[in-house]
Amino acid sequence: MIFGDSLIFRRIFKRGFLKNGKESMINPASVNLCLGNTFLIPKAKPSGIALGEKLEYDRFEIQDGHFAGLAPGHFCLATTKEAITMPPDAAAFVQGRSSIGRIGLTVQNAGFVDPGFHGHITLELVNESKNTILLRPNYPLAQLVFFSCKGVRHGYEGKYNGQIEATGSRMEQDARKYPHLLI
């Protein structure tokens, strides 16, 4: 069951599960999330990046009231202003807002927040337009759609729990959980 606005308010806002969230951002069946201040751009590797390999990033920050341009065809990681603590009986999908998609900015992301996750959400942004898109912190860029989960034995304890800003891939840690990946 997807949470409607009254459930989002009672089960998420009133219980303090969405830090820095504003009640005015609640929609009929979602809550908007705003763009944060930290960003990462993957460093180019002439040889390419192999799955499971560590990737390095350039980090930059945009102060409130300022902009940074994302050129056509370019990619960056961003973070949300809000931090979420998912209850043990709920999960959420992260979606880009349609108004954002309609200008050519795709909010690509893992798209799923497990029960027990806590931290800021990292968003993958791709400019698919022919225009530079000016990124502005505090602008509502994405939304969370909450739903009930039943039968969860243990909450998320993964490598991204507790992230507080844009967080790069940690796929190099996958071999710990999936030893058959070692070559």
Side-chain angles (χ1 to χ4, degrees):
M1 172 185 74
I2 292 177
F3 291 14
D5 53 3
S6 64
L7 272 180
I8 292 170
F9 180 72
R10 284 195 327 267
R11 301 229 9 236
I12 305 299
F13 274 80
K14 294 237 358 159
R15 294 182 182 177
F17 288 131
L18 190 62
K19 184 179 176 190
N20 300 326
K22 295 181 179 76
E23 187 179 342
S24 63
M25 295 296 217
I26 299 175
N27 302 313
S30 66
V31 62
N32 289 341
L33 300 174
C34 295
L35 187 61
N37 300 83
T38 63
F39 299 82
L40 297 175
I41 298 173
K43 290 185 179 183
K45 289 188 74 169
S47 61
I49 180 76
L51 293 177
E53 186 176 72
K54 184 172 178 65
L55 182 61
E56 299 295 325
Y57 296 87
D58 289 318
R59 181 188 180 279
F60 68 98
E61 192 167 330
I62 305 173
Q63 297 301 316
D64 289 349
H66 292 84
F67 300 83
L70 186 62
H74 285 218
F75 167 86
C76 74
L77 297 175
T79 189
T80 59
K81 279 282 190 182
E82 302 82 4
I84 185 75
T85 298
M86 288 303 297
D89 61 346
F93 286 108
V94 182
Q95 303 283 131
R97 292 183 55 237
S98 66
S99 294
I100 302 306
R102 293 173 194 212
I103 65 164
L105 183 59
T106 302
V107 181
Q108 296 284 347
N109 50 58
F112 192 78
V113 186
D114 276 305
F117 172 84
H118 60 87
H120 293 254
I121 295 172
T122 294
L123 305 169
E124 295 88 21
L125 306 180
V126 178
N127 181 350
E128 298 188 55
S129 79
K130 294 181 180 180
N131 299 301
T132 295
I133 296 175
L134 301 177
L135 302 175
R136 177 173 55 171
N138 300 307
Y139 197 87
L141 200 70
Q143 56 191 345
L144 278 178
V145 178
F146 297 93
F147 58 93
S148 296
C149 286
K150 297 186 186 288
V152 177
R153 292 188 330 194
H154 54 84
Y156 179 77
E157 297 173 352
K159 57 192 170 208
Y160 299 106
N161 241 357
Q163 61 192 17
I164 57 172
E165 58 182 39
T167 302
S169 175
R170 294 176 176 164
M171 67 180 170
E172 72 278 4
Q173 297 177 23
D174 288 347
R176 295 179 198 159
K177 186 171 182 179
Y178 308 107
H180 67 280
L181 295 175
L182 296 174
I183 299 172

